[in-house]
Amino acid sequence: MAKNLSGDMQVASANRLSDGAVVFLDDFGQWTRRLDRAALARDKRTAEILLARARAEAASVVDPFLVAVTESGDGVLEPLSLREKIRASGLTFAAIAAEAVRYA
Amino acid sequence: MPDTHFYRYDDYDRALVGERVAQFRDQVRRRLAGELTEEQFKPLRLTNGLYLQLHAYMLRIAIPYGTLSSRQLRQLAAIARKYDRGYGHFTTRQNLQLHWIRLEDAPDAIAMLAEVDMHSIQTSGNCVRNTTADHFAGAAIDEIEDPRVWCEIVRQWSTLHPEFSFLPRKFKIAITGSPNDRAAVRVHDIGLRLWKNACDEVGFEVIVGGGLGRTPMIGKTIREFLPKDELLAYLEATLRVYNRYGRRDNLFKARIKILVHEIGAERMREEVEAEYAAMRDSALKLSPETVEAIARQFAPPVLRPRRTRVPEVEAMKLENRAFALWLKSNVAPHRVPGHAIVTASLKPAGAPPGDASSAQMEGVADIADAWSHGEIRVSHEQNLVLPHVAIESLPEVYRALEKLGFAEANVGKITDIIACPGLDYCALANARSIPVAQRISNHFAELARQHDIGDLKIKISGCINACGHHHVGHIGILGVDKNGVELYQLSLGGDVDFGKTALGTILGPAVESDKVVEAVEAMVATYLGARRPGERFVDTYRRIGAQPFKERVYGNS
Amino acid sequence: MEIPSEQPIDQGPMLVLDNAEDVTRLGDRLAGVKLIVLNFPKFTDGRAYSQARLLRERMGYTGELRAAGQVYIDQIPFMLRCGFDSFASAQKGFAEALAKARTLFSVVYQPTGDGRTTVNQLRLQHRRSAAA
Ligand code: SF4
């Protein structure tokens, strides 16, 4: 559920069917792990088209949806909502290491 | 390898779990091949415990009645290492969650579970979930009867129940065999409490319609005393009433608690009793042989009374302050003299509550083999329990746990925090839970101070679904989302001790993430300033009310 | 066994029931009925499972019991156990799945009206013959 954050710039995202990994639709209709390769819709109209394209390419992913993003001066995309930030960049704390027997 | 002292699968149980793995393997294959839509597949994967979360699939593994053998715990560690990132999260419902599972691997992971007589069946979905029990069962000093016998009977009856696999909503059952309820039976869809009546017969009090979540409610007793052999008939009657009349028009009103609330406990009782009247003395009635055959498997290990005052323990108490505190908070009396129940704290300072690495799980399994008859329990406070430890072994057990990082003397204290996975993992979350728990844990890390503050349960949920049980925390913390900002609503005065089950009261406006520690500190200071000798935090709160806490947290302005 | 729901019924009187209907109150309406169609408006709405069991086990209905609506392959084992014996499903592969569904699980825990011997009954038999 995308949070009610307004913003006209959107990318299409989903989770990959085979492993659940977060993916974004790129300009060539491929799903990529990298947000920086995501196709960017700059207005509502293009966003609708982007979502339609994502849904057409949904065989290998689960439930595509749009993610509102901002673009910094040098073109780096960042999701607006915290949820999508976490989806794009992972846990916000250090998970315990596999072989750790001690924390800290 | 030590014998197990709880139910072992026979060939029938094994066959069923094996066939379930094969069925799921085929379902996954059909999904990957595009033969099943996500809409069709989702309920199927959910009833096998497989969720799709923010970054990956999550596999929720049932730990029936919270009891594990060392062999099973080692296998869980092996599955986490092979198919996940080498760690797992113990939940408040005696489940283990692996958060980084691939759909393609899920059937293999589940097959590995089946190798040690475990499964993930019905750990999600709108069906009867893993039935939970007192984590001290079979060892507790106050126990009337081992509730796990009945949990196992319910486990078998509920597994792939043909009538109740598409209920209006999920259904959780908990059973306690002690007057001091450690299974929170009043906040479950059905809570069962074993007790002895005036004729010296043991039966169940049946409590229906409790639960936390969006609309927290305390369950109502609809049957004071149910003969034990009629348990399944009564459960089937209750579930049938729920399946037929539970609301399906609104997801948020679909739990049985809403049905009980809307039609009233009395009408619910009448409906269930009428259905039960038609079912009693049916094939559901449990024969004494059936019950005995299962009960025999739960025969506790033969423990001979041992010394209760051990010089080595006394000496170590004097020279090691942390050990002395650990004895106080993490060690509980056992029914056999000279023994104790040890809680391994999965809450070392600053750690994600309830997480354990594969290596740590293996370490606990080794400790259980050496000193606890190969047995481990999972508590709903997200800790692990060694149920049968000789008092004379406590120093060794302590040192071994210390090496694992699980010897923190904080059980029941302010840093023994319950926290759900929250927004870091969970697709439903509003806010993060784990980082908040970590900050509180770090802030209050000093053990002497924790023991001075005394019993104080903090429970954190990342959304209204209340997986972190915030309603029943002495201090409850609920993550909410306000225009994309995480805020935390604080509540006070919740409790789950039997007879005192209480829901917390919201203190005031939600606070920002970086103000949570300060707010908790203010509440603690209020308590410390006002407490009378022997009063716990929650007692003081009950006596003086919310106002002084409010003023301290929000200021007088 | 794949029967499209539109197929005309000529073998006798039939009842098509909404899944909110209390089947224990059907009384005389059941007399002479040869076919009852129970509905799954969504496959996740499981009320008709209870209706089926009540019809079979309490009302003694022995005629054809058909599942209609969202009827999918993976529900078949549950439906069979509750007493359904015909299925209106257009899902691809349904007939093959139906043929295999009875053997998908070799053991069952719950006594229902389907006549299958439960695990507990098998264990009891086993124990008694071992004791004899
Ligand atoms: S309480 Fe909410 S955020 Fe936490 S695990 Fe449950 S659903 Fe997720």
Side-chain angles (χ1 to χ4, degrees), chain B residues 79-91:
Chain B
I79 296 169
R81 191 177 278 127
K82 185 159 181 192
Y83 296 114
D84 205 276
R85 297 196 176 171
Y87 70 95
H89 174 77
F90 290 95
T91 76

Side-chain angles (χ1 to χ4, degrees), chain B residues 189-374:
Chain B
D189 295 287
I190 292 183
L192 298 166
R193 186 176 72 88
L194 283 157
W195 66 288
K196 201 179 264 182
N197 69 10
C199 309
D200 232 27
E201 298 155 338
V202 176
F204 293 103
E205 177 186 353
V206 182
I207 301 152
V208 173
L212 300 174
R214 182 173 300 258
T215 320
M217 285 188 189
I218 292 171
K220 315 279 185 306
T221 299
I222 59 165
R223 190 40 119 104
E224 287 290 343
F225 187 88
L226 179 73
K228 289 188 294 185
D229 56 359
E230 288 288 352
L231 177 63
L232 294 186
Y234 207 83
L235 290 181
E236 190 139 315
T238 311
L239 266 294
R240 181 170 287 169
V241 169
Y242 173 52
N243 192 40
R244 291 176 66 188
Y245 302 118
R247 286 181 63 171
R248 292 178 191 261
D249 59 327
N250 181 339
L251 183 69
F252 301 130
K253 299 193 169 174
R255 295 288 288 269
I256 196 173
K257 62 190 171 189
I258 305 292
L259 177 65
V260 175
H261 181 72
E262 285 180 355
I263 69 175
E266 193 43 41
R267 171 85 201 286
M268 186 70 194
R269 195 190 63 78
E270 284 163 19
E271 293 283 348
V272 172
E273 288 287 335
E275 193 57 41
Y276 167 60
M279 281 191 202
R280 66 192 304 171
D281 293 319
S282 70
L284 284 166
K285 191 181 189 111
L286 290 154
S287 76
E289 286 161 284
T290 296
V291 178
E292 271 160 35
I294 291 178
R296 222 175 296 132
Q297 301 207 42
F298 285 93
V302 181
L303 304 175
R304 257 172 295 132
R306 288 169 180 269
R307 293 176 298 164
T308 47
R309 271 190 76 81
V310 179
E312 295 88 311
V313 174
E314 299 305 316
M316 187 163 163
K317 230 156 98 177
L318 291 177
E319 73 213 20
N320 184 335
R321 176 106 179 99
F323 176 71
L325 293 174
W326 180 79
L327 287 178
K328 274 198 210 156
S329 53
N330 296 33
V331 179
H334 193 283
R335 63 165 76 138
V336 180
H339 292 79
I341 306 171
V342 171
T343 300
S345 168
L346 269 52
K347 323 283 176 66
D355 281 13
S357 70
S358 291
Q360 284 171 319
M361 291 185 222
E362 284 156 354
V364 173
D366 291 344
I367 294 172
D369 276 342
W371 294 292
S372 181
H373 295 260

Side-chain angles (χ1 to χ4, degrees), chain B residues 38-305:
Chain B
E38 185 60 18
E39 195 201 353
Q40 291 168 339
F41 179 63
K42 188 176 172 186
L44 304 177
R45 66 167 159 76
L46 288 178
T47 51
N48 285 286
L50 197 65
Y51 281 75
L52 180 52
Q53 299 208 306
L54 290 189
H55 321 275
Y57 290 93
M58 177 270 276
L59 179 64
R60 182 182 289 155
I61 298 163
I63 300 170
Y65 27 91
T67 304
L68 282 171
S69 68
S70 53
R71 174 167 170 253
Q72 290 173 324
L73 185 54
R74 278 194 197 93
Q75 183 82 336
L76 294 176
I79 296 169
R81 191 177 278 127
K82 185 159 181 192
Y83 296 114
D84 205 276
R85 297 196 176 171
Y87 70 95
H89 174 77
F90 290 95
T91 76
T92 53
R93 291 210 75 255
Q94 300 182 321
N95 295 311
L96 175 70
Q97 292 183 178
L98 301 177
H99 287 273
W100 305 92
I101 292 284
R102 301 160 56 89
L103 177 61
E104 297 166 324
D105 292 337
D108 292 331
I110 291 173
M112 268 182 86
L113 281 178
E115 286 171 15
V116 291
D117 299 348
M118 294 184 75
H119 63 68
S120 60
I121 300 170
Q122 290 169 212
T123 54
S124 177
N126 295 335
C127 49
V128 181
R129 303 287 187 87
N130 183 27
T131 298
T132 52
D134 181 352
H135 45 273
F136 287 177
I141 219 164
D142 56 350
E143 185 169 280
I144 295 159
E145 206 177 291
D146 193 332
R148 297 174 301 164
V149 175
W150 301 97
C151 292
E152 176 57 29
I153 287 168
V154 173
R155 186 191 71 80
Q156 296 185 19
W157 162 81
S158 62
T159 299
L160 307 192
H161 197 296
E163 186 179 345
F164 305 135
S165 288
F166 296 95
L167 295 167
R169 201 75 179 83
K170 57 189 168 183
F171 204 91
K172 300 174 181 176
I173 303 175
I175 310 181
T176 184
S178 294
N180 294 305
D181 175 30
R182 283 170 292 264
V185 295
R186 290 208 175 259
V187 287
H188 280 77
D189 295 287
I190 292 183
L192 298 166
R193 186 176 72 88
L194 283 157
W195 66 288
K196 201 179 264 182
N197 69 10
C199 309
D200 232 27
E201 298 155 338
V202 176
F204 293 103
E205 177 186 353
V206 182
I207 301 152
V208 173
L212 300 174
R214 182 173 300 258
T215 320
M217 285 188 189
I218 292 171
K220 315 279 185 306
T221 299
I222 59 165
R223 190 40 119 104
E224 287 290 343
F225 187 88
L226 179 73
K228 289 188 294 185
D229 56 359
E230 288 288 352
L231 177 63
L232 294 186
Y234 207 83
L235 290 181
E236 190 139 315
T238 311
L239 266 294
R240 181 170 287 169
V241 169
Y242 173 52
N243 192 40
R244 291 176 66 188
Y245 302 118
R247 286 181 63 171
R248 292 178 191 261
D249 59 327
N250 181 339
L251 183 69
F252 301 130
K253 299 193 169 174
R255 295 288 288 269
I256 196 173
K257 62 190 171 189
I258 305 292
L259 177 65
V260 175
H261 181 72
E262 285 180 355
I263 69 175
E266 193 43 41
R267 171 85 201 286
M268 186 70 194
R269 195 190 63 78
E270 284 163 19
E271 293 283 348
V272 172
E273 288 287 335
E275 193 57 41
Y276 167 60
M279 281 191 202
R280 66 192 304 171
D281 293 319
S282 70
L284 284 166
K285 191 181 189 111
L286 290 154
S287 76
E289 286 161 284
T290 296
V291 178
E292 271 160 35
I294 291 178
R296 222 175 296 132
Q297 301 207 42
F298 285 93
V302 181
L303 304 175
R304 257 172 295 132

Side-chain angles (χ1 to χ4, degrees), chain A residues 3 5 15 17-22 62 82-83 86-87 90-93 95-103, chain B residues 31 53-57 81 85-87 103-104 348 355 357 360 402-404 424-425 427 432 435 438 486:
Chain A
K3 293 282 183 303
L5 289 175
N15 289 79
L17 176 63
S18 60
D19 61 0
V22 176
V62 179
L82 178 61
R83 179 186 198 271
I86 292 174
R87 270 184 89 248
L91 301 181
T92 63
F93 61 91
I96 178 170
E99 299 311 316
V101 290
R102 245 180 192 293
Y103 291 99
Chain B
R31 175 68 184 110
Q53 299 208 306
L54 290 189
H55 321 275
Y57 290 93
R81 191 177 278 127
R85 297 196 176 171
Y87 70 95
L103 177 61
E104 297 166 324
D355 281 13
S357 70
Q360 284 171 319
E402 212 181 10
K403 281 202 194 103
L404 298 176
D424 282 290
Y425 293 101
R432 286 172 289 171
Q438 290 177 305
E486 298 171 293

Side-chain angles (χ1 to χ4, degrees), chain B residues 432-448:
Chain B
R432 286 172 289 171
S433 305
I434 294 169
V436 173
Q438 290 177 305
R439 287 204 301 275
I440 297 172
S441 172
N442 280 325
H443 179 85
F444 289 98
E446 196 198 324
L447 283 179

